[in-house]
Amino acid sequence: MKFTTMLKMASATAVVAAMTSGAYADSHVHPETGEKLAADQTFTYRLLDGIPTLDPQLNEDVSGSDIIRDLFEGLLNQDAEGNLIPGVAESWEASEGNTVYTFNLRDDAKWSNGDPVTAGDFVYAWRRAADPATASPYAWYMDLMSIENGSEVVAGEKDPSELGVEAVDDKTLRVKLTSALPYFASMVTHATTFPTHQATIEEHGDSWTRPENMVSNGAYKLTEWVLNERTVRERNEMYWNNEDTILDKVVTLVINDENVALTRYRAGELDKTEVPAGQYPALEEEMPDEAHSFPRLCNYYYTFNLSDKGPEAFKDVRVRKALAYAVDRKVITDQVLQGGQFEAYTFTPAATAGFEVPDVDFAGMTQAERDAKAKELLAEAGYGSDNPLQFDMLYNTSEGHKKIAVAMSQMWKQKLGVEATLANMEWKTFLETRGNQDFELARGAWCGDYNEASTFLDLVTTPSGYNDGKYSNAEVDELMVAAKTSDNPQDNYTRVEQILAEEMPVIPVYHYAGVIMLKDNLKGWPFENVEQNWYSRDLYKVAE
């Protein structure tokens, strides 16, 4: 298979690199570039919120995944451009019409306590993720991967032992799929699929992720975790490629205020932080080597609560379309954010591999035309000055999210007489509230779990675990199921996007750009990887 050939080439490259590197500790130069390395190899960056969990099978947020990719290693990793490269698996191959995947694990992969990493560790982790008893917020992902019996195990209809994943021997993992899935290999870079150490979990239960208990297999070990304050991870001497890892320590600091974070970045306390909304142009002019903006595989939207708990007004498609049309996305991207973000009229970003952005009606209108149509639709639905539309608008605490919510609510007020009441919550409470449908209109955002349009469009299918608005459309469900086995699913994706524009269960607002401040002595950041799956072992600091 071409996958195996590519992996053998990548493995050969890795072997050559290992033979020619490792001397940096003595010479204090980068083994490949020759750059002089800084004496202190500590990378410190800011988090908006505390990390609720560092359990790979329980994590559900992007920031948590960033840390987990350092602590644990899955079957495959990504390089700086987002291409698949070996992880615990040195090679893999697809057979039987791409319905069986076999991963060949490296002999030198070890847990931080010295135990070998085996195929059985992946079997345990994958069964654990799918098992309803685990209550993984990403259990649906195991079904999405089309693993044999995945749907039934997640639904509690079959025992986790019947999941189509098998340890042929300690170094061979075999996965059986219910149908061919051409992008299956790219899905195993996701944290939910990372191995976990069964004996440690059984011994320590819920406290197994504490620094004093955790056994992990990534390039770093967790040495400190103060909830809502900081985490510290340090080099794992047992990691199979520890010799070529340069950063010694990675520290996260929870700073809720992005302007405070920028101040601390300027003071030298942080190596990386996010650019506050609206400040990128000035920072790029002031510090061109440190201010960065690049496309990301993420969308930003607001979702209507269409469940029985949701407001009656949102059951009317005219109301939903009126609110979506009246949002001037160019004002939000160019005046509020000012960081290179892209106006969104589809749910799926243009940066998605192989995705052709379809034409949808409201995208082709001028904003004046959209505003006029919005007024017409809302009036038809029975709302106006004598009967103003009122609802609550929920977002998680962040100055940037607040600015966007304020801008949108003012647009609705001025154009349509709508009265939106803003409310914010800290991240964990926000997720619970949205997941329980205890909201009317709520912020949503999604960064692709893999680089293919289905990672976004599956979210609006009826069974999706992250369909918090409980939108349901039988044609969308059928199209997305059919897309999984289609040689060219673009037609399906085009039709789904058109249905979303017709029914507007969500308001697409913009597609992300990564807008960050990064110290110019920190090298190796994968700006070309639109998924932004970065690994601290690929980063290093040069001497100033």
Side-chain angles (χ1 to χ4, degrees), residues 45 52 107 115 128 156 186 212 217 279 283 297 326 476 501 515 534:
Y45 69 97
D107 291 329
D115 289 350
R128 182 171 178 258
S186 68
E212 62 272 18
N217 74 316
Q279 297 190 37
L283 288 168
L297 196 68
V476 168
V515 193
W534 56 272

Side-chain angles (χ1 to χ4, degrees), residues 123-124 126-128 130-132 142 146-154 156-166 174-178:
V123 172
Y124 169 72
W126 290 24
R127 288 176 177 174
R128 182 171 178 258
D131 188 346
M142 308 309 290
S146 296
I147 302 173
E148 187 175 81
N149 295 327
S151 177
E152 293 83 356
V153 173
V154 170
E157 297 167 1
K158 288 190 176 182
D159 190 81
S161 63
E162 297 185 70
L163 189 69
V165 56
E166 171 193 6
R174 180 180 296 151
V175 185
K176 296 181 179 179
L177 308 184
T178 54

Side-chain angles (χ1 to χ4, degrees), residues 280 282-292 517-518 520:
Y280 180 74
L283 288 168
E284 183 189 29
E285 184 174 347
E286 179 188 351
M287 293 181 279
D289 294 333
E290 299 181 36
H292 301 274
M517 299 299 296
L518 194 71
D520 58 3

Side-chain angles (χ1 to χ4, degrees), residues 90-380:
E90 286 186 306
S91 64
W92 77 96
E93 59 185 0
S95 58
E96 299 183 32
N98 290 338
T99 61
V100 176
Y101 279 77
T102 302
F103 296 88
N104 304 301
L105 277 54
R106 61 178 67 253
D107 291 329
D108 52 353
K110 294 181 180 180
W111 291 97
S112 53
N113 67 351
D115 289 350
V117 178
T118 68
D121 295 323
F122 286 91
V123 172
Y124 169 72
W126 290 24
R127 288 176 177 174
R128 182 171 178 258
D131 188 346
T134 305
S136 169
Y138 253 79
W140 57 272
Y141 191 75
M142 308 309 290
D143 180 14
L144 195 67
M145 293 171 76
S146 296
I147 302 173
E148 187 175 81
N149 295 327
S151 177
E152 293 83 356
V153 173
V154 170
E157 297 167 1
K158 288 190 176 182
D159 190 81
S161 63
E162 297 185 70
L163 189 69
V165 56
E166 171 193 6
V168 178
D169 55 45
D170 279 353
K171 298 300 176 183
T172 309
L173 181 74
R174 180 180 296 151
V175 185
K176 296 181 179 179
L177 308 184
T178 54
S179 56
L181 198 62
Y183 50 85
F184 175 81
S186 68
M187 298 182 78
V188 303
T189 63
H190 193 270
T192 304
T193 69
F194 290 1
T196 40
H197 193 258
Q198 183 173 358
T200 298
I201 294 175
E202 291 177 348
E203 179 180 355
H204 297 289
D206 291 343
S207 64
W208 80 270
T209 54
R210 297 302 308 160
E212 62 272 18
N213 300 330
M214 182 182 283
V215 173
S216 57
N217 74 316
Y220 296 84
K221 298 186 296 184
L222 184 68
T223 58
E224 186 178 351
W225 183 11
V226 181
L227 195 63
N228 295 323
E229 186 177 325
R230 62 190 274 122
T231 66
V232 179
R233 46 202 195 263
E234 300 182 46
R235 283 169 64 140
N236 174 14
E237 301 294 331
M238 290 291 178
Y239 180 58
W240 65 270
N241 202 23
N242 178 57
E243 181 180 342
D244 289 342
T245 302
I246 297 178
L247 281 184
D248 293 320
K249 181 188 293 187
V250 186
V251 179
T252 68
L253 299 179
V254 177
I255 306 170
N256 300 129
D257 188 309
E258 59 193 9
N259 290 295
V260 172
L262 180 60
T263 299
R264 294 179 67 172
Y265 173 87
R266 288 180 178 276
E269 296 178 39
L270 299 170
D271 298 302
K272 173 184 173 287
T273 191
E274 289 69 37
V275 172
Q279 297 190 37
Y280 180 74
L283 288 168
E284 183 189 29
E285 184 174 347
E286 179 188 351
M287 293 181 279
D289 294 333
E290 299 181 36
H292 301 274
S293 175
F294 47 91
R296 291 216 43 200
L297 196 68
C298 306
N299 64 11
Y300 190 107
Y301 61 96
Y302 267 82
T303 185
F304 294 101
N305 186 350
L306 302 179
S307 74
D308 292 340
K309 291 183 178 181
E312 191 62 31
F314 291 165
K315 305 292 193 293
D316 191 327
V317 67
R318 295 171 297 185
V319 171
R320 302 196 300 269
K321 291 174 83 168
L323 293 172
Y325 286 13
V327 174
D328 191 333
R329 291 154 179 81
K330 192 168 183 63
V331 168
I332 290 173
T333 58
D334 294 4
Q335 296 180 33
V336 178
L337 297 171
Q338 299 184 51
Q341 293 83 359
F342 309 90
E343 302 164 45
Y345 300 94
T346 58
F347 199 61
T348 308
T352 307
F355 178 70
E356 299 171 18
V357 179
D359 293 326
V360 292
D361 289 343
F362 81 118
M365 300 178 182
T366 65
Q367 188 57 49
E369 290 170 339
R370 282 193 285 267
D371 291 344
K373 188 64 175 177
K375 292 173 184 175
E376 177 187 323
L377 288 167
L378 203 61
E380 286 179 7

